[in-house]
Amino acid sequence: MVAPTLRRIHSPWTRTVDIRDELRVVWSWIRRPGLARRILPELRQHLSGAPASTAYAFTLFVTWWTLRGVGDSVERRLIFSASTNLYNMQHNPIQVLVASAFWTQGQFPWVTIAEILVVMGFAERWLGTSRWILLFATGHIGATLLTVTAISHAIDRHIISVRVQYAADVGTSYGFTAVLAAMAFHFRGVVRVVWAGVIIVVLAAALWIGPTFTDYGHMCAALIGLAVGFVASTFWRRVERARAAKEATSATTTDPLAASVDATRIPATTDGPTSAATQSVSGADGRAEAALHHTDDRLDDASRDRAEHRHQ
């Protein structure tokens, strides 16, 4: 018998969907009566299914509000201390790698928070919280390390200005791009190719038209997301195929044994002469057993026993 734990393991990387079926479901949900009444419960269910994305969006709001409450000089120092530029990565890399993902610059980040709640929330519900965090962190850290390495190489060769090593670089874009690229493996068929192709073309165009180190980092993050999605989906498909083959092998080895055991069992009721003989034997055995257990009254009376056998 196959271990039940094998059947309970299902990776989200192998759960692909058809975009046409998803659109039909969404359109059917929109056309149902009482749309305004159903939006709030649906939104609540979506956010409860993506707790990390919801908490992340709230954290970005808090840090943005904090920057608005301080002066410009304090804001610049805070942003600089959390930036993943070359100077900070050489002196305090772990702190800036973590802190840079929780700060944003400029006006209120409406678009960033909406993207995290909707797109990242959908990705978290698909992958699960732990996998989503791991994928986001892989894209953020990997793209940052590749970007800093390229900046250091360009500065050493005098391709870019030395001032770039002190530039401010905070935000969620690297991790977001990696997750967005990996989401291509949630779809099947042509949609997967189109999804990945559009991301690569857009980022390549930005890198070609006005190349900056941020554009380079976005391209690295997209490639990291695609690589992670390809490796994870390929690995788990092979695991599930091996599991299915093992289940089939176990089923074929178990069924002949069960059949042989069933064949050796004597049927409870049978038609024909064999049944009659069996019933006669069974009846004789029953009468013999009844005779053995029958109480002999003569042996119970001691005086009569002695009189019959002439025992004084």
Side-chain angles (χ1 to χ4, degrees):
M1 179 179 294
V2 182
T5 55
L6 292 178
R7 297 179 181 177
R8 289 197 296 267
I9 299 176
H10 296 287
S11 173
W13 290 104
T14 60
R15 295 201 302 263
T16 58
V17 298
D18 189 347
I19 190 64
R20 291 172 297 183
D21 295 339
E22 296 298 313
L23 292 176
R24 279 195 292 266
V25 171
V26 172
W27 180 244
S28 176
W29 183 83
I30 293 176
R31 295 180 60 185
R32 286 167 49 193
L35 177 62
R37 187 178 63 256
R38 290 183 285 109
I39 288 179
L40 186 59
E42 190 70 22
L43 180 61
R44 188 185 302 114
Q45 182 180 359
H46 172 76
L47 296 180
S48 63
S53 300
T54 305
Y56 188 33
F58 180 74
T59 304
L60 291 175
F61 169 76
V62 171
T63 55
W64 174 84
W65 191 268
T66 302
L67 291 179
R68 301 287 76 76
V70 299
D72 294 338
S73 59
V74 177
E75 178 181 353
R76 284 193 297 269
R77 286 198 298 269
L78 287 175
I79 293 296
F80 176 79
S81 64
S83 295
T84 53
N85 50 41
L86 182 59
Y87 177 82
N88 287 337
M89 289 294 294
Q90 289 175 341
H91 292 81
N92 200 0
I94 297 180
Q95 178 181 344
V96 296
L97 280 174
V98 176
S100 61
F102 294 94
W103 294 91
T104 58
Q105 292 180 281
Q107 300 300 319
F108 183 75
W110 291 102
V111 177
T112 302
I113 292 179
E115 289 174 346
I116 291 175
L117 291 178
V118 178
V119 182
M120 295 296 98
F122 178 80
E124 184 181 355
R125 294 182 64 180
W126 164 47
L127 291 174
T129 300
S130 59
R131 294 185 185 90
W132 178 81
I133 294 175
L134 183 60
L135 177 59
F136 189 94
T138 301
H140 175 72
I141 296 173
T144 300
L145 294 177
L146 291 174
T147 303
V148 170
T149 303
I151 291 174
S152 177
H153 180 76
I155 290 176
D156 292 340
R157 294 182 175 272
H158 305 287
I159 300 175
I160 60 177
S161 174
V162 181
R163 291 179 299 177
V164 177
Q165 66 177 330
Y166 303 105
D169 185 18
V170 295
T172 66
S173 58
Y174 290 167
F176 179 87
T177 304
V179 176
L180 187 66
M183 285 177 61
F185 292 88
H186 185 49
F187 305 100
R188 66 174 70 106
V190 181
V191 178
R192 175 183 301 180
V193 179
V194 172
W195 185 287
V198 168
I199 293 175
I200 294 299
V201 168
V202 171
L203 296 179
L207 191 61
W208 177 265
I209 295 172
T212 63
F213 68 90
T214 305
D215 295 329
Y216 175 79
H218 288 156
M219 177 60 73
C220 293
L223 295 178
I224 290 173
L226 291 176
V228 170
F230 175 78
V231 172
S233 60
T234 302
F235 171 77
W236 282 107
R237 281 196 180 88
R238 291 183 178 180
V239 169
E240 293 189 357
R241 282 198 296 265
R243 186 187 306 128
K246 186 175 181 180
E247 290 178 358
T249 304
S250 300
T252 55
T253 55
T254 303
D255 291 344
L257 294 176
S260 61
V261 171
D262 292 338
T264 56
R265 294 177 181 175
I266 299 176
T269 56
T270 324
D271 295 335
T274 306
S275 178
T278 305
Q279 292 177 0
S280 63
V281 173
S282 300
D285 292 341
R287 288 191 297 271
E289 184 178 0
L292 290 174
H293 292 283
H294 186 266
T295 303
D296 192 349
D297 296 336
R298 295 178 301 173
L299 297 178
D300 293 339
D301 192 349
S303 60
R304 187 173 58 184
D305 180 65
R306 287 194 298 270
E308 290 181 357
H309 295 86
R310 300 183 183 279
H311 291 175
Q312 300 297 327

